[in-house]
Amino acid sequence: MDELDRKISNLLAEDARRSLSDIGAAVGLSASAVNERIRRLAASGAIRKFTVDADPAAFGKPILAFVWIALAAEADEAGFRAFARSQATIAECHHVTGPWSYIVKVHVGSLPELEAFLSELKAARFIARSETVIALSSVVDGPFDPTEPRHV
Amino acid sequence: MDELDRKISNLLAEDARRSLSDIGAAVGLSASAVNERIRRLAASGAIRKFTVDADPAAFGKPILAFVWIALAAEADEAGFRAFARSQATIAECHHVTGPWSYIVKVHVGSLPELEAFLSELKAARFIARSETVIALSSVVDGPFDPTEPRHV
DNA sequence: TATTTTGCGGTCAAGCTCATCCATGGCCGC
DNA sequence: GCGGCCATGGATGAGCTTGACCGCAAAATA
C-alpha cells in the first residue's frame, strides 16, 4: 500500500472501467504492472469489490433517514443484527457509543414506508426507544448500493 | 427501469467486472442488449459511476464516527457546505430535520485525528455545538470510496 | 377497421481493442 | 554473491463495440 497503490485506487474509484493502460499512463507504470497491483489490492482486501454507485431515487428510494435505536432490555442482540442484515432498506447499521445502542441508515421510498419500517422494528420487540432523523438534502453523498439484501 | 434493469444493476453492484455475456446469460439477454441497457442506465444517472468499494482500514482510516452539528448563528451556510465538500475525511454530510443542523459521517485514522478535525470545525466558526458518536462495530457496512476530495 | 408507418429494442456477426499470461531482465535485501 | 520479488514487453485469446437486419407494438391514415 504505497503511493502508487493509492493513486491507482483513486483512479479506480473515479471510474472502475478505465483501461489498465490508461491507469498505467497516469501513474507511470506499464499496464501489466498496474494489473498486478490491482490484483494484489483485491486479494488483500484493500479493494473489497468492484461495484456501481447508483442513484437511490432511480431505484425508488428517494428518502434517506437515520434512526437511533436503544435496544430493549429483553432483546437478543444477535437477533437484532441478523434482522438488520436481512432488511433491504438498511444501508448501514453501526453499534455506537453514547446513549443509543445503534445508528441505522435507511433508504425508503416514502414516509409511509418509513413508518412501516419503524413499526416492524417495534413489533419485533427489538427496540425500547428510537429517534428518527430525516435528511432534507445531501451536501456530500455517500455511494449507494442498490442490491441490499447483503449476507443472507 | 424495469425488472431487467434492476437485475442487471444488482449483478453489477455485486461485481462490476462481470462480462456482458455472463450478465446476459443470467437475465436472458444477449451481450449487446445488456450493453445497451447499461449504457442507458449510466446515461440516465441511475448508475452514477463504476467504482470500487474499499476497506477504510487499509487506507489508514479505521475509525468511523458521526458528528452532529448545530451551525453557529453567524456561520454562512454556503461556506460550511463548501468546507464539507473540501474535507477529505468527510464521507457524508446531510442537512437534517430535528434539533441539529447537519449530520456528518467521517472516517479518520485515529482519535487525535478526530479531535483535530473537530478543532478545525470549531476554529472555522461554523459550529455552535456538536456531538460526536463513534462506531464500535458495523453490523451492516456501507461502501467506502477512498478518494474523498470530491468536487473541488 | 384494416393497413401502413414509425420507432424502439432485440439478435447476430465482424473487427479490434484490451486483459491476461509468460519469459526475460533488473533491483534490492539477505 | 545469491535469491526472491517485481517491472517490462510481447503474444494470444477473450470480450467489448459497432453496424446492419429483424420483429413487435403503437400510432396515423385511408
Side-chain angles (χ1 to χ4, degrees):
Chain A
M1 174 60 57
D2 57 4
E3 189 53 37
L4 284 175
D5 284 330
R6 267 187 290 274
K7 276 190 192 170
I8 292 173
S9 302
N10 286 351
L11 291 169
L12 286 177
E14 281 171 18
D15 179 8
R17 295 205 293 188
R18 276 194 150 88
S19 77
L20 294 178
S21 358
D22 276 5
I23 299 174
V27 302
L29 247 52
S30 76
S32 48
V34 173
N35 189 33
E36 175 61 14
R37 279 177 178 265
I38 293 176
R39 196 196 57 74
R40 271 203 305 267
L41 285 168
S44 74
I47 292 180
R48 292 198 280 230
K49 65 178 180 179
F50 288 75
T51 183
V52 291
D53 174 22
D55 177 10
F59 287 84
K61 313 234 165 186
I63 297 180
L64 170 64
F66 292 88
V67 182
W68 294 102
I69 291 175
L71 278 198
E74 73 272 17
D76 80 306
E77 201 126 352
F80 171 74
R81 284 203 274 256
F83 174 81
R85 273 191 286 264
S86 74
Q87 281 293 313
T89 59
I90 296 186
E92 298 180 33
C93 175
H94 307 279
H95 192 197
V96 291
T97 61
W100 301 96
S101 314
Y102 288 91
I103 184 173
V104 171
K105 179 182 171 189
V106 294
H107 288 279
V108 291
S110 63
L111 292 180
E113 210 175 291
L114 177 58
E115 188 182 10
F117 170 75
L118 294 170
S119 301
E120 192 173 356
L121 264 183
K122 205 154 104 183
R125 301 255 169 227
F126 286 128
I127 62 176
R129 218 156 81 251
S130 79
E131 211 170 281
T132 301
V133 170
I134 298 177
L136 301 168
S137 68
S138 295
V139 178
V140 181
D141 204 0
F144 171 69
D145 182 345
T147 163
E148 317 243 0
R150 297 159 203 273
H151 267 200
V152 172
Chain B
M1 175 59 58
D2 57 4
E3 189 54 36
L4 283 176
D5 285 330
R6 266 186 291 274
K7 275 190 192 171
I8 292 172
S9 302
N10 286 351
L11 291 169
L12 285 177
E14 281 171 17
D15 179 8
R17 295 207 291 189
R18 274 195 153 87
S19 76
L20 294 178
S21 359
D22 275 6
I23 298 173
V27 303
L29 248 54
S30 77
S32 47
V34 172
N35 189 33
E36 176 61 13
R37 277 176 178 265
I38 292 176
R39 195 196 59 73
R40 274 203 302 268
L41 285 168
S44 74
I47 291 181
R48 291 199 279 232
K49 65 179 180 178
F50 287 75
T51 184
V52 291
D53 173 22
D55 177 11
F59 287 83
K61 313 233 166 186
I63 296 180
L64 169 64
F66 292 88
V67 182
W68 293 101
I69 291 175
L71 279 197
E74 72 272 18
D76 80 306
E77 201 126 351
F80 170 74
R81 284 202 275 256
F83 173 81
R85 272 191 286 263
S86 73
Q87 281 292 313
T89 58
I90 296 185
E92 298 180 35
C93 174
H94 308 279
H95 192 197
V96 292
T97 62
W100 301 95
S101 314
Y102 288 91
I103 184 173
V104 171
K105 178 182 171 189
V106 294
H107 289 278
V108 291
S110 62
L111 292 179
E113 209 175 290
L114 178 57
E115 188 181 11
F117 170 75
L118 293 170
S119 301
E120 193 173 355
L121 262 184
K122 205 153 103 184
R125 301 253 168 230
F126 286 129
I127 62 176
R129 220 158 80 252
S130 79
E131 211 171 282
T132 302
V133 170
I134 298 177
L136 302 168
S137 69
S138 295
V139 179
V140 181
D141 204 0
F144 171 69
D145 182 345
T147 164
E148 315 244 1
R150 295 159 204 273
H151 267 198
V152 171

